[in-house]
Each structure stands twice: as C-alpha cells, then as structure tokens.
Amino acid sequence: MTAARGDLLELTPEALTALANAGFVKRAQKDVAAGLLPLLETADDGTVSARFDDGVRTSLPPGRTLRDAQCSCPASGMCRHRVMLVLAYQAQAASAAPAPSATPAEDEVDASAAGGEWSPSHFDNAALAASFAPSVIEQAQRLAAARPVVAVQAWRSASAPPIARLPMCSVRFFSRSSLVHARCDCKQGSGCAHVVVALWAFRQAGPLAAGSPERMVEVRAPAAGDAAGDGHRPAALMQGEAARALQAQLEALSLSLWLDGSSQPLMALAARFEAAREQARALGWRWVEDGIDELWLLLQAQQARSSRFDPRRLLHVMAELWARLRAAAHADSAAGPPPLPASQILGVGVKGEVALDHLRLVSLGAELWSDESGEGASVMLADPDTQAVTVLERQWSRADDATAGGTPANLLGRRVAGFPLRQLASGQVITKTATRRANGQIDIAPGARQTGVMPLSPKSWDDLVAPLKQPSVQALVAHLRETPPDFVRPRQAASGAAAGASGQLHVAAFEHMAVLASHWDAAAQVLHARLGRAADDTEAAAPADEVPPLHLALPHRAAAPGAVDALARALAGEWGALRAVAGSVRLQDGEPVMQPTALLTAQRAVVLQAEAPAPQPLPLQGEHEAPPALNALATDTLDLLALWLRQGLRHQGGGAASRAETQAAQLERAGLARSARLLRGVLGQLRAAQRGALVSQLALLSLWMQGVGQ
C-alpha cells in the first residue's frame, strides 16, 4: 500500500498562495467546492498524478515543489493544475478519513490539522542533504561565515508557520515533513541557500514555545559532524586598527558638526563623509554606513531648504550613530553571550540587494517632498506574506524638466515603474521585478506584464498582523515599550521615511474606532486628533480613563497641500467609519503619537498625501492643553540641542550660556540631576576650550531627553 503524501496534506491555502498565487488557489478552491475534481493516481514511489477532463495531465513526485511539477498545459510556469492537484489530493484524503466523533474546538482543529506545534530544527543533516544540492549548502556556509543575525519566529498556527527573517529575505517553513516546500521571498523562491541558513538559525535558537516572540540568532556555519554550529566566540569586531580608526573619524566628524554647525558649507565635509563611508563599507558595518548616508542626506536637505529636513531627525541620527558604536563595543567586551551580538548592532554580513520573487505589496501611504532643486516621494509598502515593510523612493530634478522644455510635471503624475505615482501610492502592487536592499528600500523595474497595480480597498490591510498591525491602543503602547532602542536595531528606511518622524511604522486597527476630539493648531500648522473606542463600546478591555488614546498629529506641508484636508474629511466621517490608520508612531509621555500616512474607512482607502486639495473647515483649538512638565522640559532641552547643532557651538553668543544654565537648573529641580550635570559639563568644556568628552556628553543628553519624552 502506498504511503500518504504527508507533505501535500500539510499545505494550507495560505501556503499554496505563497507557493503559487492567490488567483490559482481561489479558482481551484471553487472547483473543489463544485466537485470538479481530477482523477488522481498515486504511484508506488509516491508520485501523485492528476488527469483533468480537458486532457491535461499533471504529476508531482516526492521531494519536488509545485514549481518542479510536470504539467502538459501550455503555461510556461506556475499553473492552476498544480494547485488543483494538491487540493484534490487533500479532498480525497479527507473523504477517506473516518468522521470525528465530536466537533473539537476551533483551536484544536487548527493544531490537529497539522499535528500541533513544531520547529524546523527537527530536520537533520540527512534531510538537508536530500533536499539541497552540495553547491547550495556550500553557498549557505559562505553566507553563514559572515555570521548574519536572523530573527526566528516559532510556529503559531497552521496558517502561521515558522518563519526566519534574514537580513535580505524571509523564509517560511510550510511543511513539517519536507524542506522542499520552504518558501523564500528571493527570486529563486525555494531550494536556495537562504533556506539552509534559516534552518541553521532554528537549530541554534533552541526550543521555542508556540507563539513566543521573535528570537535573534547569530548564525554560525556548522562544522563537520556538528548539527547546530561551532561554539567558538566570534572575534571582537571593535578592537582592530581599522575599527578604531573609523570610530575616531566619526568622533571627529561629529565634533566638527557640533562646533561649526550643520549649516556650514558642505564642501568642507564631503571628503570626510566619503572617507568614513568607505571605511564602514570596508569593515562591513552596514548599519553604520547607512547612518552615515542618512546624516549626509539630511545635511544636503538642510542646505537645499528641502521639506525633507527636520532638525530633530538630524539630532536623532547623530546620537544614534554614537550610541550604536558604544553598544557594539559593550557587546564585544561582554563576559558571556550578549543579549544582542555586535554583528547585529553593526550590520555585519548584511550585503548588497536581493531580487525578489512574485509578491504583492500594499501601500501604507506616501511622503512627498520638494526643495529648490528637485522633488520626490517615498511610498511605504507592506508585504502581507512576510509582514516586511519596504520603501520605494524616487526623486526628480527640476533642471531636467527645464532641459526637456515645457512646464514641470505634477509630482503625483510622474511615472514610477510605468505607473503614475498617485496610482502607486494608493494601490496594491503585484510584481515580479522587485529588488530589495538591506535597509528595506525596494526598487521596481518597469516591465510589460511584469507589474500590475490595483487600488487599495477597505480590506487591503486585513492580512497584516502583529507586530506590524496592532489590534488595540494598549497593544501598540506595549509593543513600543518593549521594542529595543533604535541604535541596536537594524536600520530601516521606513523608520525615517516620514518627514519629521523618528518613530516606527505601524497600522492601528481596532473595533469601534471613534474620533474623540480634533482641532487645528493654526500657530504650528498641525491638525491634531485623538482616536479611541466609541463611548457605547461595552467590550472595552479597560476603563476609559485607563486606555490611552491614539494621538494623530499631521503637519501641513507645501509638497502635499491636500493631506490635512483629506484627514479632516476622514475624521468628519465623510467616507464612513474609520477602520484602520497607518503612520509613524512614537511614545510621548506614555501616549502613542502617530503622524498618519493613510487611513482605511468603511467606504475607501485614503492615502493622505496623494489626495487632491479640497478645502475643509477645521475646528480651532479652544483651550490650550499644556503638555506634562517633564515632557515639556525634555522638548525644550532637545530644541536647545537642535539649535546648537544647526548653528554650531562656536557661534553661540553670551545669551546661549545663560539659557543653557537656566535649562540645567530646571532639569535639576525636576529630579534629572545627571542630565543637568551633562548640560553643565558641555558648558564647562566650551569655557575651558576642551573637547575630549563633548560629543559623548551631547549624545547622551540627547538620548536621555528622548527617553524622558517618551
């Protein structure tokens, strides 16, 4: 008797969608429901063959994925017959199985359908050798030699299998009995070296409870006869001569910016930035290199008077670069295994870009910018399969418009990947021509029949899950509090894509979402709103006074004149009740503050900066709401530091020292004695013409004030 193909029985509709595409799966499911099943045959070697009424024959041997199945239909690649073979085989097995004596609970059905929780770590070296060619395993060993850090997420349910997030791609394990059905989102799709590295990461992670948080693993290539990996501690990354030279160079560059200001001519800084960038690239410190790049772009944006420039973001990146190097040095010198390895903090082993397989991306909004010489846009896109957030960036020069003759093009009408920017920013992208960089930047090449765009709908974000989409304000706050600081996490373009934002991109979607209050701050040119549960919501998880509201704060920007009006119209209920809102979120005095980029309502999706201007009456603020004292003090201190960084400490007059002394006294009275000492230490070094600890003191003070503000 031929044994059952357990690997085919384990493939859920979600797995088939990832291995094929949603269209083929939906059509096959309809055929199965209608009883239009092919004739199945299972050979002694386990090969399953299907004969369809139209004469098409499809066969899938053991150890082969859907792409490797043989089909006589005219399709050059994936086809519906391959998906239909799997679903028909599952239907046949279900009809042959004895009926259960009782109806189990829903969670029991979910667990029993795939045999309960499991981990890819149970695949041994024999299974690895049987599933991958020796050349693939050798390539995986070369990848693992750089000791990349991989985030592994345990099995959660039959529809949420184990997943490993590598620096450049994500791998999902859909079958507990076969490695060939593991799906990577790189161009190869399956059978690649990334799957092998992901498997080693699960082995080295050890036991993982179902539903447990992600665990970070520094992958080590296994030695001969070793199932997990060598136990040798990696060489210190921060002790070499080149590493010390780069740290000294960045310290000197930061000191120059603090002393002479970010407004100084960039010609004097260009060569120093390029040298630091080249040194970081030579060391393989990808996140340090990326931080240097962003710092340089911010300086250029300031010089060009671009809407991309934000003094707080400049201060944030300066402090982050300093802290990232100190955190890596601390991890390097730790006696035992550090919570986060230095290689993850620095971005060692994160290289180049990877071509992606067929994927669907849903827009989470866009940010437009303009300056004297050009304009551009950043479109935030989420992958519902892997929950990864990517950013598509484009910029255009006004000089090119003048050279081409005629009037400058409308920004939202400019074409990206063959489509108008407005359509891309407000759509769902299905493409086969995407490549992704380490920091989440994505590029989509134009190609006939390779990319399509559908409009966003009120249900476009339904497939997003935590941590990207949070089901309540309480869950969002808890997640933000548990998230490690920016200077130890991988740098992501989405975190800084929103102008003036230094938070994390998230989607908030909770039932009975209601607008509690809204007003227009005419002085600051910011529209404020607070969202929470409706007053008659009896299912609220906590009393109203214990549930923090979600504070929306959207500043007016000349590059997107219709954004504020579009938000006001959505808050007024013009397109029905709110269902979800996306944007960059940060904590301010324990309250989540979001700069929104897009909203879903009952009737439509609203991408704020892609909306056409439509004047809307805005309620003015009736009474001034004073911020909490500590928050206001932290904000004032950060504003002082941002002013110093912009103008330069050398160029401060006598009033600057007096203001700083007053600020230090206020910090001391508020119980922030260490912050007060740091601020006075900066003044003391300036008076004594000493520079030794200036950069460290300013970076620490900036980080502490950011923490106090949260």
Side-chain angles (χ1 to χ4, degrees):
M1 181 177 177
T2 303
R5 286 284 300 275
D7 62 321
L8 300 185
L9 299 178
E10 294 163 354
L11 297 180
T12 63
E14 292 82 6
L16 291 172
T17 299
L19 296 170
N21 65 57
F24 289 152
V25 174
K26 290 179 180 178
R27 180 172 178 180
Q29 287 176 322
K30 290 180 180 178
D31 289 345
V32 171
L36 304 176
L37 300 176
L39 180 63
L40 295 180
E41 297 178 359
T42 304
D44 292 339
D45 64 353
T47 299
V48 178
S49 301
R51 187 170 70 240
F52 294 83
D53 291 340
D54 57 3
V56 173
R57 293 185 64 90
T58 307
S59 63
L60 182 58
R64 300 287 184 88
T65 188
L66 289 184
R67 291 190 178 190
D68 299 329
Q70 297 177 350
C71 186
S72 62
C73 76
S76 58
M78 185 61 65
C79 64
R80 67 179 181 87
H81 302 99
R82 307 174 196 220
V83 177
M84 188 64 184
L85 179 148
V86 177
L87 291 180
Y89 186 82
Q90 293 176 351
Q92 183 185 75
S95 62
S101 57
T103 302
E106 183 178 353
D107 57 345
E108 293 175 347
V109 172
D110 193 31
S112 63
E117 62 184 81
W118 68 285
S119 171
S121 61
H122 78 257
F123 288 110
D124 56 18
N125 288 341
L128 198 64
S131 304
F132 297 92
S135 60
V136 175
I137 298 179
E138 290 175 5
Q139 184 183 0
Q141 289 174 332
R142 290 194 296 270
L143 292 176
R147 296 183 179 269
V149 176
V150 177
V152 294
Q153 180 177 296
W155 181 94
R156 293 185 176 181
S157 67
S159 59
I163 182 171
R165 306 185 196 280
L166 282 71
M168 301 300 297
C169 52
S170 297
V171 177
R172 286 167 289 166
F173 294 88
F174 290 117
S175 170
R176 68 186 60 226
S177 57
S178 176
L179 276 172
V180 300
H181 297 305
R183 171 70 160 79
C184 180
D185 62 357
C186 74
K187 194 68 174 179
Q188 189 170 338
S190 60
C192 61
H194 303 121
V195 177
V196 181
V197 174
L199 175 59
W200 289 340
F202 270 101
R203 288 181 180 178
Q204 294 167 25
L208 297 172
S212 60
E214 285 187 346
R215 182 176 298 179
M216 309 304 296
V217 179
E218 186 179 26
V219 177
R220 305 180 302 277
D226 183 9
D230 65 83
H232 299 294
R233 181 178 175 85
L237 296 172
M238 306 292 293
Q239 303 304 318
E241 183 178 345
R244 289 194 293 268
L246 177 56
Q247 294 177 73
Q249 187 164 6
L250 288 176
E251 185 94 4
L253 190 56
S254 298
L255 180 61
S256 175
L257 287 171
W258 276 112
L259 291 177
D260 295 319
S262 58
S263 301
Q264 62 182 290
L266 296 185
M267 185 180 299
L269 297 173
R272 300 174 67 181
F273 264 92
E274 183 59 30
R277 187 185 295 111
E278 286 299 325
Q279 280 187 286
R281 186 179 297 121
L283 288 167
W285 295 1
R286 176 52 60 94
W287 304 139
V288 176
E289 179 190 349
D290 193 78
I292 295 171
D293 285 341
E294 184 179 0
L295 184 58
W296 179 245
L297 288 175
L298 284 167
L299 294 177
Q300 289 179 312
Q302 179 183 352
Q303 296 284 338
R305 300 180 181 178
S306 170
S307 58
R308 286 182 295 177
F309 176 69
D310 178 66
R312 286 284 193 89
R313 182 66 187 174
L314 179 63
L315 185 65
H316 180 90
V317 175
M318 288 276 290
E320 181 205 322
L321 263 177
W322 177 88
R324 188 176 292 276
L325 294 174
R326 294 324 183 268
H330 179 74
D332 244 358
S333 60
L340 292 174
S343 58
Q344 180 194 354
I345 299 172
L346 297 172
V348 176
V350 181
K351 299 179 180 179
E353 61 183 25
V354 62
L356 302 177
D357 195 18
H358 180 281
L359 76 165
R360 176 173 70 98
L361 302 171
V362 296
S363 174
L364 298 181
E367 287 288 342
L368 311 182
W369 61 267
S370 64
D371 57 34
E372 297 173 345
S373 60
E375 59 186 4
S378 298
V379 182
M380 282 70 77
L381 301 163
D383 183 347
D385 289 337
T386 63
Q387 306 300 310
V389 178
T390 59
V391 178
L392 176 63
E393 294 187 348
R394 285 291 190 278
Q395 61 182 13
W396 296 270
S397 170
R398 300 191 191 279
D400 293 340
D401 291 331
T403 303
T407 58
N410 175 270
L411 178 55
L412 288 169
R414 293 186 183 271
R415 302 189 77 82
V416 178
F419 297 90
L421 177 59
R422 185 190 302 274
Q423 183 179 355
L424 205 66
S426 305
Q428 305 178 65
V429 183
I430 297 93
T431 182
K432 295 181 180 180
T433 64
T435 56
R436 183 174 58 212
R437 298 178 188 172
N439 66 354
Q441 285 188 351
I442 195 171
D443 191 26
I444 301 175
R449 304 177 62 182
Q450 297 295 305
T451 300
V453 179
M454 301 184 299
L456 281 178
S457 74
K459 295 185 178 181
S460 294
W461 298 345
D462 285 0
D463 293 333
L464 302 180
V465 297
L468 177 57
K469 185 171 78 172
Q470 294 293 335
S472 66
V473 181
Q474 301 99 307
L476 177 60
V477 171
H479 173 71
L480 292 174
R481 286 175 173 166
E482 294 170 359
T483 302
D486 288 350
F487 57 79
V488 297
R489 291 189 292 120
R491 299 194 98 250
Q492 292 297 300
S495 298
S502 296
Q504 305 173 40
L505 191 66
H506 283 291
V507 175
F510 49 92
E511 295 182 357
H512 312 292
M513 184 181 289
V515 181
L516 305 180
S518 67
H519 72 271
W520 170 250
D521 185 340
Q525 294 284 286
V526 177
L527 179 60
H528 294 274
R530 282 179 166 79
L531 306 182
R533 289 184 179 271
D536 58 351
D537 179 14
T538 58
E539 298 181 0
D545 57 352
E546 297 181 11
V547 180
L550 177 60
H551 181 178
L552 304 185
L554 181 65
H556 170 73
R557 299 193 182 279
V564 169
D565 291 327
L567 178 58
R569 294 167 68 187
L571 295 175
E574 181 172 332
W575 299 299
L578 291 176
R579 297 187 71 246
V581 57
S584 184
V585 194
R586 58 185 172 83
L587 285 178
Q588 181 175 311
D589 193 39
E591 179 182 83
V593 180
M594 173 185 285
Q595 183 172 312
T597 55
L599 304 96
L600 297 185
T601 70
Q603 299 176 13
R604 57 166 295 198
V606 184
V607 176
L608 297 175
Q609 298 206 15
E611 292 289 324
Q616 180 79 4
L618 301 175
L620 295 174
Q621 171 75 353
E623 298 180 1
H624 179 68
E625 182 180 346
L630 274 180
N631 187 269
L633 186 57
T635 299
D636 289 343
T637 307
L638 288 172
D639 287 342
L640 176 63
L641 295 179
L643 177 67
W644 284 355
L645 180 56
R646 192 164 62 253
Q647 296 178 348
L649 289 167
R650 293 188 201 273
H651 311 299
Q652 300 300 310
S658 176
R659 178 185 173 186
E661 185 57 47
T662 301
Q663 194 71 20
Q666 292 177 348
L667 289 170
E668 197 167 42
R669 285 195 296 269
L672 303 175
R674 294 185 67 185
S675 298
R677 286 197 296 271
L678 276 176
L679 187 52
R680 290 194 175 108
V682 171
L683 295 176
Q685 289 212 46
L686 289 175
R687 295 190 189 103
Q690 296 176 350
R691 308 290 185 258
L694 193 61
V695 172
S696 299
Q697 290 173 329
L698 289 165
L700 272 175
L701 185 58
S702 175
L703 292 170
W704 285 354
M705 290 300 99
Q706 291 174 28
V708 170
Q710 295 177 1

